[in-house]
Amino acid sequence: MKNNRNKAGIVLGILLMSLTITCNTAFSPILSEIGKSFPDASDSSVQIVLTIISLSTFPMMLIEPFFERFLTKRDVAILGTFLMLIGGILPHFFHSQLWMLYLVSVVIGCGLSLVVVTSSSLIADYFTGLEKSKIMGYQAIFASLGGAIVAKGSGILTTHFGWQNGYLILLITVPILLVMFTCIPKGEIPKTESNSGGFYMSGKLIYFGFLCLLAGIFISTFNTNIAMYLDRNGIGNEQTAGTVSAIMQIAGILSGLIFGFMVKTFKRFTLGIAVLLSAVGTMIVGLSTNLIIVCIGALFMGIGFAMRNAGGVSFAANMVNAVQASSAIAVVSASFNLGSFISAYVINPLAGLFGSDIRLRFIISGIALLLIGLLTCIRSPITDKQAIDA
């Protein structure tokens, strides 16, 4: 009975920690207002405010296992959450230059990377098999719920108090920190054994990372362009963008509820299906300027996005032993975030070859995601056995 209560507390702590792991996408409502404050800056320069969060996670995720040599996973997660809190406060005081926002994004990204890796790794430590997939699904629900809070909250704060105060939505990390201290066991720093063999990058894991990199490039089109898309087509303002982004995040709740079922039913095809759903959502947005249709596109995107996130970290952990789980999760997560960063540098000029309409960015990304999804289904990076952790 006591063990069940302890596990329930651990689950609660990890899930509340997960409320912040999609904040790099949820800040998209702020971008259009930042662009208006810096009229001489290009679209790509403004989009970097969001995508540099993903760039900074790339090296930090790869070195996160090094932190675990000196700190427990819980303490690494607390450090990451605290960095996100600092990143949410800084723009209130430093926002006169675009480079200041880049630095803020680096702080948020460094914190985010530590939380993403440790939250998923802690689930792998305490749970196995389909139970682990079930908890990963719950994590996707809380990640989507947190993303919706950040997206809608940042949009409201931006509308009423200016975009520099939109970041203050990250004050939600204060109660999260208190729960993490209370519910998650401190744990122990694992001893490094000389015969452990270190971390081996298998060919399948490299291929997995490559697929995540490609997916990151084209999935990120939605988040980095949606606010500008709505504004330029006269559909709404930053608060409308917050609503659309929130719908995308809330859709992830449905994805989290069915994730365990999806893994049990589709096994190695789960990731490919997730990318195909993202392709449908992106194409829907690109083919319509009707707000209701855009919201439907956001719904598909949210389901696919959350399913891909949960599947990415869960399947990466299943490909290696427990000691190497953090490193494997770091590889696939960092690859996706690197793709997110370079997204604007790939999509914007590629779409520019066909015209200046911002909708082209969504259409091209939708076609690319369709191809990536099919490739992931045909040449899955994992086996059925690894998918269900059998």
Side-chain angles (χ1 to χ4, degrees):
M1 189 72 173
K2 183 178 179 181
N3 185 53
N4 288 337
R5 286 199 300 268
N6 289 342
K7 275 203 169 185
I10 293 169
V11 171
L12 176 64
I14 293 174
L15 294 183
L16 290 181
M17 181 203 316
S18 301
L19 286 171
T20 59
I21 64 177
T22 59
C23 72
N24 58 321
T25 61
F27 278 121
S28 57
I30 298 177
L31 290 185
S32 62
E33 290 303 300
I34 292 178
K36 294 175 184 177
S37 296
F38 300 96
D40 295 332
S42 65
D43 284 356
S44 296
S45 297
V46 175
Q47 289 169 329
I48 288 176
V49 173
L50 190 64
T51 58
I52 204 171
I53 297 178
S54 299
L55 175 66
S56 57
T57 64
F58 181 73
M60 282 298 291
M61 283 182 173
L62 295 180
I63 68 174
E64 186 280 334
F66 175 79
F67 282 87
E68 293 182 15
R69 297 183 183 182
F70 309 98
L71 298 171
T72 66
K73 290 181 182 179
R74 187 200 72 165
D75 290 342
V76 173
I78 288 172
L79 172 61
T81 304
F82 181 73
L83 286 174
M84 282 193 278
L85 172 61
I86 297 301
I89 295 172
L90 283 176
H92 181 76
F93 303 100
F94 305 101
H95 55 262
S96 60
Q97 300 292 328
L98 203 53
W99 64 264
M100 294 180 179
L101 302 183
Y102 294 164
L103 291 180
V104 167
S105 294
V106 169
V107 174
I108 294 175
C110 288
L112 175 66
S113 60
L114 299 180
V115 174
V116 168
V117 176
T118 52
S119 61
S120 301
S121 183
L122 283 168
I123 294 175
D125 285 348
Y126 289 104
F127 304 94
T128 58
L130 289 175
E131 184 183 30
K132 180 169 70 176
S133 294
K134 187 177 180 181
I135 302 300
M136 288 287 187
Y138 293 158
Q139 184 187 39
I141 292 173
F142 275 72
S144 298
L145 179 61
I149 292 171
V150 173
K152 188 61 179 177
S154 63
I156 292 173
L157 289 172
T158 296
T159 300
H160 296 290
F161 305 105
W163 60 262
Q164 64 272 21
N165 290 311
Y167 286 88
L168 290 178
I169 191 63
L170 283 181
L171 288 175
I172 64 170
T173 54
V174 174
I176 292 174
L177 282 167
L178 295 176
V179 173
M180 290 169 66
F181 272 113
T182 305
C183 294
I184 301 178
K186 183 176 178 61
E188 297 179 355
I189 300 173
K191 294 181 180 179
T192 304
E193 298 180 10
S194 57
N195 61 350
S196 62
F199 176 61
Y200 171 66
M201 281 280 288
S202 66
K204 281 193 172 183
L205 189 57
I206 293 173
Y207 172 60
F208 197 172
F210 174 70
L211 290 176
C212 289
L213 174 71
L214 291 179
I217 292 173
F218 298 102
I219 287 177
S220 297
T221 297
F222 188 96
N223 297 306
T224 57
N225 287 280
I226 191 64
M228 297 178 187
Y229 169 82
L230 295 174
D231 182 64
R232 292 179 186 178
N233 286 285
I235 302 174
N237 57 15
E238 64 280 354
Q239 193 164 341
T240 311
T243 299
V244 173
S245 295
I247 289 172
M248 172 186 166
Q249 301 294 342
I250 292 173
I253 295 175
L254 173 61
S255 181
L257 289 172
I258 65 174
F259 180 70
F261 168 79
M262 292 292 291
V263 172
K264 184 178 180 180
T265 304
F266 297 103
K267 301 180 178 66
R268 70 180 186 274
F269 297 109
T270 306
L271 277 177
I273 292 171
V275 177
L276 289 174
L277 287 170
S278 297
V280 171
T282 305
M283 285 292 291
I284 287 175
V285 173
L287 295 174
S288 176
T289 56
N290 180 281
L291 181 59
I292 295 177
I293 302 299
V294 170
C295 290
I296 293 174
L299 186 70
F300 276 94
M301 171 58 76
I303 294 173
F305 183 77
M307 190 181 299
R308 195 225 65 86
N309 283 351
V313 296
S314 178
F315 297 162
N318 294 352
M319 292 175 72
V320 297
N321 59 48
V323 175
Q324 299 175 336
S326 291
S327 297
I329 292 170
V331 168
V332 298
S333 299
S335 298
F336 182 83
N337 286 324
L338 178 61
S340 297
F341 173 73
I342 66 176
S343 175
Y345 296 102
V346 175
I347 301 301
N348 293 3
L350 185 59
L353 294 175
F354 302 95
S356 59
D357 193 336
I358 195 171
R359 289 191 296 171
L360 289 169
R361 300 176 188 178
F362 290 88
I363 294 172
I364 290 172
S365 294
I367 294 171
L369 287 171
L370 176 63
L371 297 175
I372 295 168
L374 292 174
L375 174 62
T376 306
C377 287
I378 295 169
R379 293 286 305 269
S380 175
I382 62 168
T383 64
D384 285 343
K385 185 177 180 180
Q386 289 172 330
I388 61 176
D389 194 22

